[in-house]
Amino acid sequence: MDSSFFTKNPSGKLPVFQNGAHIIFDTIEMIQYIERIAVVSAGADENSFSNREVVEWMQKIQEWNPKFFTLSHIPEKYRLAVSKFIRRVVIARMAESPDLASAYHRKLKEAYETEDKLKNPEVLKRSKEHLIRLLEEVETKLSETSYLGGEEFSMADTMLIPVLARLVLLNLEDEYISSRPNIAEYWIMVQQRPSYKKVIGKYFNGWRRYKTLIKTWCFVRFRSLLRKF
């Protein structure tokens, strides 16, 4: 919510990738940009870039917006407390940076609209149905190949893994992962990857998830009590 971030991205949304003066907001564009740097640095040929099938999978995964699905599975007490905290932060930053008032106002409006949409059963239903369609398609694909893009790990997998990790974090593994044998087997396999352990497992595997969540909740509560927004 800092003004320095809003200057880079007036929407005030993550992710944002900056390399020098080059700033990217779209997840797929970021992945492809980093991939190009890695391929060129390694001296590999153009065949090393993600093929059309991989990109199509990336687009399918990105089309599902996890926002409302995720928030609807968070206990209301915590969700409302964090939502209120975020609104107060936005208001405080708006006062500090009047030149960015319009951007902060849009962010504040978005926060209120999110709360309204969470009260709409149809919005939540559409999000859940979209997720189920995506997982069914993934399940079918994984019955044919080890990974989404074939027999080798690809950039499509780097986008799918966080979706599965999110479901586990929400305690929905039995309903959405274990009930699909190919995805369940895939999930066990990808958790063994060093990159998973470093980026996700380090913070959310086993007891670590509680440490991460408690740390976050305490941060919000203490800042709210001290009115340090």
Side-chain angles (χ1 to χ4, degrees):
M1 299 298 173
D2 289 346
S3 59
S4 59
F5 183 80
F6 270 75
T7 302
K8 294 178 185 177
N9 184 9
S11 71
K13 294 181 179 179
L14 291 171
V16 173
F17 178 86
Q18 181 174 9
N19 185 16
H22 195 55
I23 302 176
I24 311 174
F25 307 130
D26 181 78
T27 300
I28 295 177
E29 289 180 11
M30 286 180 205
I31 292 174
Q32 291 177 320
Y33 180 82
I34 295 170
E35 183 183 37
R36 285 196 296 273
I37 293 175
V39 170
V40 172
S41 299
D45 57 36
E46 292 187 1
N47 292 327
S48 300
F49 292 123
S50 295
N51 59 36
R52 186 175 66 179
E53 182 183 13
V54 169
V55 174
E56 287 176 352
W57 272 112
M58 293 165 71
Q59 292 169 342
K60 288 178 184 178
I61 295 167
Q62 183 168 258
E63 284 171 2
W64 179 62
N65 184 345
K67 181 177 181 179
F68 298 111
F69 178 88
T70 302
L71 291 175
S72 68
H73 286 88
I74 294 175
E76 187 176 47
K77 177 178 72 173
Y78 301 121
R79 177 173 58 78
L80 293 177
V82 173
S83 177
K84 183 178 181 181
F85 174 77
I86 290 174
R87 293 197 299 270
R88 286 178 170 177
V89 171
V90 173
I91 292 170
R93 296 295 180 275
M94 192 187 303
E96 294 170 0
S97 305
D99 54 317
L100 293 171
S102 59
Y104 280 113
H105 180 72
R106 286 194 298 272
K107 193 69 176 178
L108 190 61
K109 181 181 178 182
E110 180 187 310
Y112 283 111
E113 288 176 346
T114 296
E115 288 304 318
D116 288 337
K117 288 181 179 179
L118 284 169
K119 299 174 185 176
N120 186 341
E122 191 60 34
V123 171
L124 305 180
K125 179 184 176 184
R126 286 198 299 269
S127 181
K128 179 178 179 179
E129 289 176 345
H130 191 164
L131 171 63
I132 291 173
R133 287 196 302 272
L134 173 62
L135 292 178
E136 288 301 319
E137 195 168 349
V138 169
E139 176 70 6
T140 300
K141 176 62 179 178
L142 293 178
S143 68
E144 304 166 353
T145 59
S146 299
Y147 298 100
L148 281 183
E151 294 306 319
E152 293 185 5
F153 188 87
S154 71
M155 294 299 100
D157 298 292
T158 68
M159 291 188 65
L160 177 62
I161 291 171
V163 172
L164 302 181
R166 179 187 295 268
L167 294 172
V168 173
L169 188 61
L170 293 171
N171 292 319
L172 298 172
E173 183 174 2
D174 289 344
E175 182 178 355
Y176 291 95
I177 297 177
S178 300
S179 60
R180 297 173 171 86
N182 295 310
I183 292 181
E185 183 179 349
Y186 169 89
W187 175 236
I188 292 172
M189 178 173 61
V190 296
Q191 287 182 84
Q192 307 309 311
R193 295 181 63 83
S195 56
Y196 171 87
K197 294 177 181 179
K198 182 176 181 179
V199 177
I200 298 178
K202 180 179 179 181
Y203 303 99
F204 294 110
N205 270 11
W207 61 270
R208 294 181 181 86
R209 79 169 70 176
Y210 301 107
K211 178 183 177 182
T212 301
L213 293 174
I214 290 172
K215 182 179 179 180
T216 304
W217 177 242
C218 288
F219 172 84
V220 171
R221 293 299 294 165
F222 287 140
R223 289 281 293 269
S224 297
L225 290 172
L226 298 174
R227 303 187 69 79
K228 288 189 175 182
F229 306 116

